[in-house]
């Protein structure tokens, strides 16, 4: 018998089944060199879309969170390119700040050197070299992920041009009268010896003392204000006691002593401390205001003050007030002219202003000493322990304190456009699209409740606060012209902001400059640097506004940036320009392991992007990003990766099938829609609907829905249905037959649509497949990213055909179930060996397609009559019955269908005989 397989149009393609991504992807990266610039020029007349990159910190290799973030951004960039936009995406790096200082200090320590010995300028040069090293490392790692960006022209916060613009921004904020210098309590890390921003503080469980302390009233012997505190070390800084004016308070006599406390908390205090006695008097809080008492330390007589910050959830309803160590304490103290006293130095050690027995001790070491002293003096009523949430430094993970020091602040109550700065920020938040929507409430509540922004830091590595103080009268020089002069000097100097620390005030100020207040010519420079959040928060000015872009279309970072970069950018932009720097803000969750646990080296559950790329390729990592709902925490582990590898194979093999069946197709041979086979018209109609959904989900940033659409389309509608049914027409009919050309017309449309639709996430695979599609259609552009994802065309949607095939697919499901029963019983091995019988109610649509049903069911015959050895009731379609029996007749060795003897011409069926005559 002749080898009829040689006469079939079997698939032919060099597009490999095995992806081999770790080796193939670097070759594609070579092809992409210069692609961003080429696309920028090519799309110069297209509408602009600006995605502003939140700068990662230039310290260490990228981790899986970096990969999630940059790939999400890349998805958006590429989708916009594939829908006809000119996309502006400039990557950036945050370079200043404490972590780099600490790394350089560590390296110096190994050489037995200190930064003080080295000098500020030389130390800064080492910090710059360290940052440059990791910018190079991270840049290569981001490019390896397949991220398309303006890598040749990134923004770097330590570049002279960036530093200069930051100085100009500072000048603008000063000129609006929003910057104040004040001694007020801020978060202070006693280990890193610097002030910290709200965004630099994390909360962890901490055990602290819990004590009830007696403050003796001045004019009422043996009568005490009873206060509760978990920070005994703040008692030497006590300057008052706060009460709620409208609360009820009691005088509770226990033995010889009387304690004043809130009525509502009396029972809980009695239960905890074990005191017994009776209430001898009841008053409102307002009646306690003005009472004087002896402070526990310093020999002072302090007073009781009204406060809105007193709560009755815990404690005694009387709050010990240390304006130098508490935010609310400071606000009340400010109201009544109390000094924010804080006898603690940069390392958290008590100074000479503190009681002698704790001088030189660190604050947390002093707690037990103070408790013992109170006990010895009869002022301690009760001592216990408490575990509670306490602020810690995000860098060194140690507890922070509140400490009043002279700092520079941007005042939240300052005026912007006739409104308070806080109100203006809240107003701008309302104008922004927040994705997911709950982001608006999150950042809104943070801005509503945040304190003034402390923008000064007592470190070496950062952009200086470029103000001067008059040596004679102390006047602060903050003229815009001075800021501009310093900015120009920084911008044109290879040393950048280092010159601030090298040059004298006379060299930095305009020639002959005199103090506007007293006429003196002698000045001192500010030595503090700017908060790094001001650095990155100013990025919109350098990267966007300086290039003529008023607002970014999108900012995209992790959800922690509501208190970080999103907020810093909002505050700086509103302070300088009166508006938010972004139109929309998208946030994603954090990366966790498969069990939802935070990744940590101690748990051994850390997955590095480099490891995944080495083993599977970047496209598998990209598939992970698009497969997860990023609005929640994103899980990753070996099991998830294995599932993704299987999904990747399904998509790749679908593309391979499409390409393999187009080896002899030319676009000029494509048939018009109305001439297509009805099954092909159905698929083209279905494809338009799918493309509409794909675009909708991309535009709504619902990437996981795109992934599910594409994966299911490849697995179900294509592999299990359309392509499976189509094999008969593709393989059996003559190469130039209408049946085959109709099928190929749609296969080409599918290939173009599928390759471009996956290009934002499976970028390497799409580019590789595109090279093969270009062999079929040489008129296609050189890169998939120079093409467009086809839009779903309404004129190609046949609603009746879609309804008909929705019915026929359900009918096919029931037929396949019946065939499966016959296969399990070994009556048939393949559907081609089956004869199908259909009867019952509601088969009108099926009769319309009677001539095609055997091909649609991939069986050898279909009869509309009762019959079959294996019979089932319809499940997908109620009211019908399906019967299956082995097909009668003889098997055609070429097409494998069964026909009666009279349907053969020689060895093959008449259909195949006719085809063989054509070829």
């Amino acid at each position: 018998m002749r080898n009829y397989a040689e006469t079939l149009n079997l698939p032919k393609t060099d597009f490999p089944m095995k992806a081999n991504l770790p080796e193939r992807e670097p070759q594609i990266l070579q092809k992409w060199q210069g692609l961003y610039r080429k696309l920028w020029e090519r799309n110069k007349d297209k509408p602009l879309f600006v995605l502003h990159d939140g700068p990662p910190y230039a310290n260490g290799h990228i981790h899986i969170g970096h990969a999630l973030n940059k790939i999400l951004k890349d998805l958006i960039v590429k989708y916009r390119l594939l829908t006809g936009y000119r996309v502006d995406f400039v990557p950036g790096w945050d370079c200043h700040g404490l972590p780099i200082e600490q790394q350089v200090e560590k390296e110096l320590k190994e050489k037995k050197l200190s930064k003080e010995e080295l000098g500020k300028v030389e130390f800064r040069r080492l910090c710059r070299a360290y940052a440059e090293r990791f910018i190079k490392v991270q840049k290569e790692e981001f490019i390896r992920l397949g991220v398309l960006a303006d890598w040749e022209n990134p923004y770097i916060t330590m570049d002279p041009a960036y530093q200069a613009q930051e100085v100009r921004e500072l000048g603008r904020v000063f000129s609006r009268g929003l910057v104040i210098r004040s001694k007020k309590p801020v978060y202070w890390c006693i280990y890193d010896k610097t002030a910290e921003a709200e965004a630099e503080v994390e909360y962890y469980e901490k055990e602290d003392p819990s004590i009830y302390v007696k403050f003796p009233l001045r004019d009422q012997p043996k009568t005490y204000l009873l206060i509760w505190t978990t920070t005994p070390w703040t008692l030497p800084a006590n300057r008052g006691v706060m009460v709620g004016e409208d609360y009820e308070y009691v005088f509770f006599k226990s033995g010889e002593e009387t304690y004043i406390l809130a009525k509502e908390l009396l029972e809980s205090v009695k239960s905890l401390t074990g005191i017994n006695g009776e209430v001898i008097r009841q008053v409102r809080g307002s009646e306690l205001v003005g009472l004087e008492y002896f402070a526990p330390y310093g020999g002072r007589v302090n007073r009781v003050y009204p406060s809105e910050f007193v709560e009755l959830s815990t404690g005694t309803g009387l709050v010990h007030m240390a304006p130098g160590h508490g935010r609310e304490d400071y606000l009340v103290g400010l109201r009544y002219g109390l000094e924010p006293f804080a006898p603690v130095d940069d390392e958290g050690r008590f100074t000479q202003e503190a009681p002698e027995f704790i001088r030189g001790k660190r604050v947390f070491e002093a707690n037990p000493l103070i408790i013992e002293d109170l006990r010895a003096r009869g002022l301690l009523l009760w001592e216990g322990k408490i575990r509670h949430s306490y602020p810690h430094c995000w860098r060194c993970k140690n507890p922070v304190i509140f400490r009043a020091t002279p700092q520079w602040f941007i005042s939240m109550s300052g005026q912007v456009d006739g409104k308070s700065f806080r109100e203006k920020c809240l107003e701008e938040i309302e104008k922004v699209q927040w994705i997911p929507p709950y982001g608006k409430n999150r950042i809104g509540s943070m801005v509503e409740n945040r304190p003034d922004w402390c923008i000064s830091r007592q470190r070496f590595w950062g952009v200086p606060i470029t103000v001067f103080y008059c040596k004679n009268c102390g006047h602060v020089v903050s003229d815009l012209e001075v800021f501009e002069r310093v900015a120009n000097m920084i911008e044109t100097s290879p040393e950048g902001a280092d010159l601030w620390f090298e040059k004298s005030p006379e060299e930095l100020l305009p020639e002959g400059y005199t103090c506007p207040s007293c006429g003196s010519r002698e000045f001192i420079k500010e030595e503090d640097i700017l908060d790094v959040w001001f650095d990155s928060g100013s990025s919109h000015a350098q990267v966007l506004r300086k290039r003529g872009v008023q607002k970014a279309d999108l900012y995209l970072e992790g959800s922690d940036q509501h208190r970080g970069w999103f907020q810093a950018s909002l505050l700086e932009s509103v302070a300088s320009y009166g508006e938010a720097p972004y139109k929309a803000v998208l946030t994603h969750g954090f990366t966790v392991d498969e069990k939802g646990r935070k990744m940590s080296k101690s748990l051994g559950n850390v997955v590095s992007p480099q490891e995944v790329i080495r083993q599977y390729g970047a496209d598998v990592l990209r598939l992970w990003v698009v497969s997860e709902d990023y609005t929640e925490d994103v899980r990753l582990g070996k099991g998830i990766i294995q599932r993704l590898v299987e999904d990747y194979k399904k998509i790749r093999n679908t593309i391979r099938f499409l390409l393999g069946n187009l080896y002899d197709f030319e676009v000029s041979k494509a048939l018009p829609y109305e001439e297509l086979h009805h099954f092909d018209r159905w698929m083209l109609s279905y494809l338009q609907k799918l493309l509409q959904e794909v675009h909708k989900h991309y535009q709504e940033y619902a990437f996981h829905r795109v992934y599910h659409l594409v994966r299911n389309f490849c697995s179900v509608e294509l592999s299990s249905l359309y392509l499976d049914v189509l094999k008969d027409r593709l393989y059996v009919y003559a190469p130039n037959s209408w049946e085959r050309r109709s099928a190929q017309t749609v296969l080409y449309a599918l290939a173009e649509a599928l390759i471009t639709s996956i290009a934002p996430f499976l970028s390497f695979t799409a580019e590789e497949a595109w090279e093969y599609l270009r062999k079929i259609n040489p008129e296609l552009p050189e890169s998939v990213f120079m093409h467009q994802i086809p839009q779903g065309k309404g004129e190609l949607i046949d609603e009746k055909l879609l309804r008909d095939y929705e019915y026929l697919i359900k009918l096919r499901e029931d037929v396949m179930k019946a065939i499966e029963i016959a296969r399990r019983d070994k009556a048939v091995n393949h559907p081609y060996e089956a004869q199908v019988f259909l009867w019952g109610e509601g088969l009108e649509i099926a009769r319309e397609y009677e001539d095609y049903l055997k091909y649609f069911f991939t069986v050898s015959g279909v009869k509309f009559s009762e019959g079959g050895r294996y019979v089932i009731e319809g499940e997908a379609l109620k009211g019908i019955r399906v019967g299956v029996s082995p097909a009668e007749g003889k098997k055609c060795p070429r097409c494998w269908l069964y026909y009666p003897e009279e349907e053969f011409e020689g060895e093959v069926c008449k259909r195949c005989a006719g085809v063989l005559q054509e070829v």
Side-chain angles (χ1 to χ4, degrees):
M1 183 182 284
R2 182 178 174 184
N3 182 2
Y4 287 107
E6 294 175 352
T7 70
L8 298 173
N9 311 304
L10 296 176
K12 295 177 194 173
T13 181
D14 293 328
F15 182 70
M17 183 184 292
K18 189 176 180 187
N20 209 10
L21 292 173
E23 286 76 33
R24 189 168 283 119
E25 286 174 346
Q27 297 165 11
I28 294 170
L29 285 174
Q30 288 292 317
K31 177 185 173 183
W32 283 344
Q33 283 188 5
L35 179 60
Y36 179 88
R37 280 280 126 201
K38 201 178 282 187
L39 286 163
W40 181 255
E41 288 303 318
R42 191 175 187 268
N43 295 350
K44 62 185 177 185
D45 297 324
K46 302 286 179 65
L48 182 67
F49 181 87
V50 181
L51 171 53
H52 184 39
D53 189 29
Y57 195 61
N59 181 22
H61 291 269
I62 68 168
H63 53 67
I64 201 69
H66 286 125
L68 170 67
N69 179 264
K70 272 293 196 289
I71 291 170
L72 277 173
K73 290 172 181 172
D74 193 50
L75 283 170
I76 294 165
V77 165
K78 286 173 176 166
Y79 172 71
R80 291 291 176 173
L81 284 169
L82 286 156
T83 48
Y85 281 84
R86 186 187 201 197
V87 179
D88 185 330
F89 181 53
V90 179
W93 275 275
D94 199 359
C95 307
H96 297 123
L98 195 55
I100 287 175
E101 274 202 44
Q102 289 173 326
Q103 288 299 325
V104 173
E105 283 183 89
K106 195 194 269 182
E107 291 174 6
L108 285 176
K109 202 172 182 181
E110 290 167 6
K111 298 174 185 175
K112 299 197 166 126
L113 280 169
S114 74
K115 63 180 183 181
E116 286 77 17
E117 290 173 305
L118 202 62
K120 197 170 276 191
V121 172
E122 189 54 39
F123 181 78
R124 285 170 62 89
R125 283 179 185 144
L126 291 178
C127 289
R128 185 178 296 106
Y130 183 93
E132 282 170 351
R133 185 159 87 242
F134 280 104
I135 287 171
K136 187 179 178 186
V137 167
Q138 291 186 2
K139 178 180 173 181
E140 289 172 0
E141 291 174 335
F142 284 135
I143 289 172
R144 181 62 187 87
L145 292 173
V147 176
L148 192 60
D150 194 359
W151 294 112
E152 301 309 308
N153 301 287
Y155 76 92
I156 294 167
T157 62
M158 65 181 181
D159 279 353
Y162 191 101
Q163 293 175 326
Q165 188 60 34
E166 193 174 334
V167 168
R168 291 187 183 103
E169 292 304 298
L170 183 62
R172 289 181 70 91
V173 184
F174 260 99
S175 71
R176 284 179 172 246
L178 292 173
V179 183
I180 57 172
R181 186 162 173 81
S182 176
K183 185 180 180 182
K184 61 171 71 177
V186 294
Y187 286 119
W188 185 275
C189 180
I190 63 177
Y191 304 93
D192 293 333
K193 294 178 284 188
T194 187
E196 298 209 328
E198 291 272 317
E200 295 171 321
V201 170
E202 297 172 338
Y203 284 81
Y204 302 112
E205 285 285 303
K206 181 177 184 290
E207 185 176 82
D208 275 319
S210 172
I211 61 173
Y212 287 92
V213 183
K214 302 184 286 184
F215 285 4
L217 286 186
R218 183 182 186 184
D219 56 357
Q220 297 182 43
K222 295 192 179 292
T223 302
Y224 303 90
L225 299 170
L226 190 63
I227 68 99
W228 170 69
T229 183
T230 60
T231 55
W233 65 267
T234 63
L235 288 170
N238 176 266
R239 288 295 183 267
V241 167
M242 298 185 287
V243 296
E245 289 186 281
D246 296 327
Y247 298 155
E248 297 291 330
Y249 289 84
V250 296
F251 285 66
F252 182 76
K253 187 171 176 59
S254 178
E256 295 297 312
E257 298 183 338
T258 299
Y259 310 121
I260 303 172
L261 70 159
K263 178 183 178 183
E264 193 172 314
L265 293 164
L266 175 62
E267 291 306 317
S268 65
V269 172
K270 284 168 63 179
S271 170
L272 197 61
T273 63
I275 59 171
N276 289 303
E278 60 177 329
V279 173
I280 59 171
R281 186 181 169 199
Q282 183 170 317
V283 297
R284 290 178 71 80
S286 56
E287 296 176 60
L288 299 177
V289 172
L291 285 179
E292 294 182 334
Y293 67 91
F294 294 107
Y297 295 102
R300 293 174 57 88
V301 174
N302 293 335
R303 301 176 66 187
V304 175
Y305 297 93
S307 170
E308 67 274 29
F309 300 114
V310 177
E311 295 179 352
L312 298 181
S313 53
T314 53
T316 65
L318 293 164
V319 179
H320 139 63
M321 179 169 61
H325 291 301
R327 186 176 292 157
E328 289 86 1
D329 309 41
Y330 170 78
L331 293 172
V332 174
L334 192 65
R335 197 177 295 157
Y336 296 102
L338 301 178
E339 175 198 4
F341 178 61
V344 174
D345 69 12
D346 290 0
E347 291 185 331
R349 298 185 188 280
F350 281 99
T351 65
Q352 291 301 306
E353 298 173 291
E356 189 176 348
F357 73 97
I358 54 171
R359 287 174 193 164
K361 299 288 184 187
R362 276 191 154 176
V363 290
F364 300 121
E365 295 169 354
N367 276 335
L369 300 176
I370 290 171
I371 292 168
E372 280 310 306
D373 179 70
L374 293 170
R375 181 180 284 114
R377 292 194 288 134
L379 297 178
L380 184 72
L381 179 65
W382 180 83
E383 177 194 2
K385 296 286 185 188
I386 186 172
R387 285 199 69 79
H388 60 159
S389 181
Y390 188 89
H392 287 65
C393 173
W394 73 328
R395 299 182 188 92
C396 67
K397 306 303 180 189
N398 286 305
V400 296
I401 65 171
F402 263 112
R403 174 180 176 236
T405 57
Q407 302 285 348
W408 286 104
F409 296 88
I410 294 178
S411 169
M412 295 303 294
S413 55
Q415 292 291 301
V416 176
D417 300 339
K419 296 174 182 166
S420 81
F421 180 40
R422 190 186 307 278
E423 286 173 335
K424 187 65 178 171
C425 288
L426 292 170
E427 186 181 275
E428 286 301 305
I429 286 169
E430 290 293 326
K431 298 175 185 177
V432 176
Q433 180 190 4
W434 299 92
I435 309 157
Y438 61 71
K440 181 174 79 171
N441 291 336
R442 194 156 188 260
I443 193 170
S445 64
M446 288 174 178
V447 170
E448 199 165 11
N449 298 304
R450 71 160 292 137
D452 293 341
W453 181 7
C454 178
I455 59 169
S456 49
R457 294 293 180 272
Q458 295 66 46
R459 305 297 300 186
F460 283 14
W461 178 228
V463 175
I465 295 176
T466 52
V467 297
F468 301 86
Y469 304 94
C470 174
K471 213 170 186 179
N472 182 49
C473 71
H475 174 79
V476 176
V477 176
S478 56
D479 303 343
L480 261 180
E481 63 181 274
V482 174
F483 279 108
E484 186 58 36
R485 173 179 163 80
V486 174
N488 287 335
M489 292 173 77
I490 290 171
E491 197 162 29
T492 54
S493 167
E495 301 156 329
D498 289 358
L499 65 81
W500 177 262
F501 304 102
E502 290 178 310
K503 294 187 180 295
S504 66
E506 291 71 31
E507 291 173 292
L508 292 162
L509 283 162
E511 191 175 342
Y513 188 86
T514 58
C515 174
S517 182
C518 71
S520 171
R521 292 195 175 189
E522 290 190 61
F523 298 91
I524 302 165
K525 290 181 298 183
E526 173 62 81
E527 291 295 321
D528 282 0
I529 61 168
L530 278 163
D531 172 20
V532 289
W533 291 107
F534 194 92
D535 279 23
S536 59
S538 304
S539 61
H540 64 93
Q542 171 68 10
V543 185
L544 305 179
R545 294 182 190 277
K546 207 170 176 186
R547 294 161 56 230
V549 177
Q550 294 302 109
K551 285 178 186 262
D553 290 285
L554 186 68
Y555 274 38
L556 188 165
E557 301 301 327
S559 55
D560 57 332
Q561 296 308 316
H562 287 117
R563 62 200 292 260
W565 188 57
F566 298 148
Q567 193 174 151
S569 299
L570 173 77
L571 294 173
E572 202 292 315
S573 183
V574 173
S576 283
Y577 302 95
E579 62 179 4
Y582 37 66
K583 297 174 187 174
V585 172
L586 185 150
T587 52
H588 59 78
F590 301 106
T591 51
V592 293
D593 71 7
E594 286 173 290
K595 295 177 182 174
R597 299 173 302 177
K598 187 176 179 181
M599 291 189 183
S600 70
K601 287 179 183 175
S602 59
L603 286 174
N605 62 351
V606 174
V607 179
S608 79
Q610 296 84 357
E611 175 191 335
V612 177
I613 289 169
R614 272 194 301 272
Q615 191 169 355
Y616 302 103
D619 261 2
V620 170
L621 200 60
R622 297 176 67 90
L623 192 61
W624 161 67
V625 171
V626 82
S627 70
E628 297 284 330
D629 181 356
Y630 62 78
T631 61
E632 301 168 356
D633 284 348
V634 183
R635 298 178 182 235
L636 182 61
K638 288 180 181 174
I640 290 171
I641 291 172
Q642 283 306 318
R643 173 177 59 75
L644 290 167
V645 167
E646 292 308 309
D647 287 349
Y648 173 82
K649 286 177 183 174
K650 284 176 193 168
I651 296 170
R652 184 180 183 91
N653 287 337
T654 302
I655 293 171
R656 188 170 185 270
F657 183 92
L658 298 174
L659 294 172
N661 284 285
L662 289 168
Y663 65 89
D664 61 342
F665 179 72
E666 295 172 19
V667 177
S668 60
K669 295 179 180 176
L671 298 181
Y673 177 76
E674 59 277 4
E675 291 180 21
L676 295 174
H677 187 286
H678 57 76
F679 189 38
D680 300 326
R681 278 190 283 115
W682 166 77
M683 174 44 71
L684 212 49
S685 289
Y686 190 92
L687 177 63
Q688 307 317 304
K689 293 266 193 181
L690 181 90
L691 287 168
Q692 288 173 353
E693 284 286 294
V694 163
H695 283 291
K696 176 176 176 284
H697 295 320
Y698 268 129
Q699 286 160 7
E700 293 173 353
Y701 305 113
F703 306 125
H704 64 294
R705 297 188 188 281
V706 176
Y707 157 77
H708 287 297
L709 270 178
V710 169
R711 184 195 63 179
N712 294 342
F713 184 57
C714 289
S715 299
V716 181
E717 285 81 12
L718 290 182
S719 297
S720 299
L721 177 63
Y722 184 68
L723 301 182
D724 187 48
V725 172
L726 215 59
K727 286 173 185 173
D728 181 81
R729 271 198 285 137
L730 287 169
Y731 300 169
V732 173
Y733 286 90
N736 289 310
S737 64
W738 167 78
E739 289 86 356
R740 191 156 183 274
R741 284 290 176 246
S742 176
Q744 286 183 312
T745 298
V746 175
L747 290 187
Y748 180 83
L750 283 168
E752 183 187 351
L754 189 56
I755 293 168
T756 52
S757 293
I758 66 167
F761 55 98
L762 291 180
S763 300
F764 291 100
T765 303
E767 191 69 276
E768 181 191 0
W770 191 254
E771 291 174 14
Y772 290 91
L773 196 65
R774 286 185 73 217
K775 291 175 184 176
I776 297 161
N777 182 6
E779 292 184 10
L780 292 173
E782 64 184 273
S783 170
V784 66
F785 299 109
M786 292 178 169
H787 202 54
Q788 288 196 18
I789 304 174
Q791 299 286 331
K793 296 178 181 176
E795 66 270 21
L796 297 183
I797 298 174
D798 185 328
E799 295 290 354
K800 180 186 183 303
L801 205 53
L802 287 169
R803 286 193 300 273
D804 285 357
Y805 266 92
E806 187 179 354
Y807 166 88
L808 292 175
I809 290 166
K810 288 178 181 176
L811 182 58
R812 189 174 189 266
E813 285 176 30
D814 285 333
V815 168
M816 289 304 163
K817 283 172 189 163
I819 291 172
E820 188 54 36
I821 295 169
R823 287 178 74 164
R824 284 203 299 266
D825 202 36
K826 306 281 198 256
V828 299
N829 292 315
H830 187 282
Y832 282 162
E833 297 174 16
Q835 168 80 40
V836 171
F837 298 86
L838 300 172
W839 69 99
E841 298 174 2
L843 286 168
E844 294 79 15
I845 294 173
R847 291 182 186 279
E848 283 183 46
Y849 295 89
E850 185 171 356
D851 293 344
Y852 186 62
L853 286 184
K854 75 170 187 176
Y855 302 108
F856 187 64
F857 297 153
T858 59
V859 297
S860 284
V862 176
K863 290 184 179 178
F864 284 90
S865 64
E866 191 173 334
R869 191 190 304 174
Y870 303 94
V871 177
I872 66 163
E873 295 280 348
E875 291 180 24
L877 289 177
K878 303 296 182 187
I880 68 152
R881 303 190 82 188
V882 180
V884 170
S885 286
E888 296 173 352
K890 193 168 85 173
K891 177 182 178 181
C892 172
R894 186 171 180 274
C895 70
W896 292 10
L897 293 180
Y898 284 74
Y899 297 92
E901 283 285 353
E902 60 270 20
E903 290 291 319
F904 277 77
E905 289 186 9
E907 292 179 333
V908 296
C909 69
K910 287 182 178 179
R911 181 177 65 148
C912 286
V915 170
L916 290 172
Q917 284 177 1
E918 282 188 52
V919 298

